[in-house]
Structures are given as structure tokens and as C-alpha cells.
Amino acid sequence: MALSEQARADFVGAYTRTLIAAWSNEEFAAKLESDPRPALAENGIELPADAKIKVDRSDPSDGHQGTLDTQVALFEEGQKTGVYEFHIPTSPQVDMAELNEDELAGVAGGDFYCCPCCCCT
């Protein structure tokens, strides 16, 4: 079942919060791996009690990174099958060599820069 526009926006927001929490808090990252249901729920991803949850924490540089559309599709598939798979890369990958001068200034000045990981493409 495809998510409605609002449900997709809600999921994307919760998934993004989960990524940020995993990248910025080692305790949360460990909880996400050991007990993902409550860790996901902390960020707004509520799953059925009988759902099976797989968390992929592989490094995006290993060539295993999906897009946001892929993650949404995995979530939709989980709603059908009861098996939910989440790709949570070990850390954000920002290639400074590909940033232009304005983007570099934005990063240095605290503007939001969307990394080329699965959460933004």
C-alpha cells in the first residue's frame, strides 16, 4: 500500500530524525542496533508489535546505500509483509571536494547541507 502524501512526509521526517540521532548519539545508535523498535518509536516510527525489524548499519562507502525513495518503498513493503528494513548508514558522507564555494560557506556558516547519503536523494 502506497503512503499518502502526508504519511510519506511524516515517515521521511521520522526517518531523518532517526538518522541524525544515530549519527550524533552513540548510545542511541547502540540501542537502534540492539532494540530497534523503541529506538525507532522515539523518533516517530511506530511499528506493529509483531513486526520483524532489520536495521542495516553498513557504511555507505561500501556501495550499499539506498535513496530516500528506496527507504520509503521498504517501509511500504513492510506494511504489506510485516518485515521492516531500515538503512541507517554508520555516518553521514559529505564529500567536501564536490562542494562549490557557496555550499562550503553555508556549511561553515551553519546552513543545512544535504549529504549524498540515502536520506536526501
Side-chain angles (χ1 to χ4, degrees):
M1 156 168 81
L3 296 174
S4 69
E5 191 173 316
Q6 183 61 53
R8 178 186 168 92
D10 292 345
F11 172 74
V12 168
Y15 176 68
T16 302
R17 287 189 299 277
T18 302
L19 287 173
I20 292 168
W23 293 337
S24 62
N25 183 322
E26 289 181 28
E27 187 176 305
F28 178 83
K31 181 178 181 179
L32 184 62
E33 290 186 44
S34 66
D35 197 7
R37 184 180 317 279
L40 292 165
E42 283 178 32
N43 291 294
I45 300 175
E46 298 284 343
L47 300 175
D50 61 344
K52 292 184 175 128
I53 304 167
K54 298 178 184 179
V55 176
D56 177 359
R57 296 277 300 157
S58 60
D59 187 328
S61 66
D62 293 340
H64 190 276
Q65 66 176 317
T67 64
L68 183 56
D69 288 335
T70 300
Q71 186 58 66
V72 170
L74 287 170
F75 184 74
E76 290 172 337
E77 185 65 21
Q79 290 182 317
K80 294 178 200 170
T81 66
V83 178
Y84 292 83
E85 184 173 345
F86 295 91
H87 294 277
I88 311 289
T90 53
S91 63
Q93 301 297 306
V94 178
D95 185 354
M96 300 301 269
E98 293 185 22
L99 297 179
N100 66 36
E101 194 171 303
D102 291 334
E103 291 168 328
L104 282 171
V107 171
D111 288 350
F112 177 74
Y113 171 71
C114 189
C115 66
C117 69
C118 59
C119 69
C120 305
T121 56

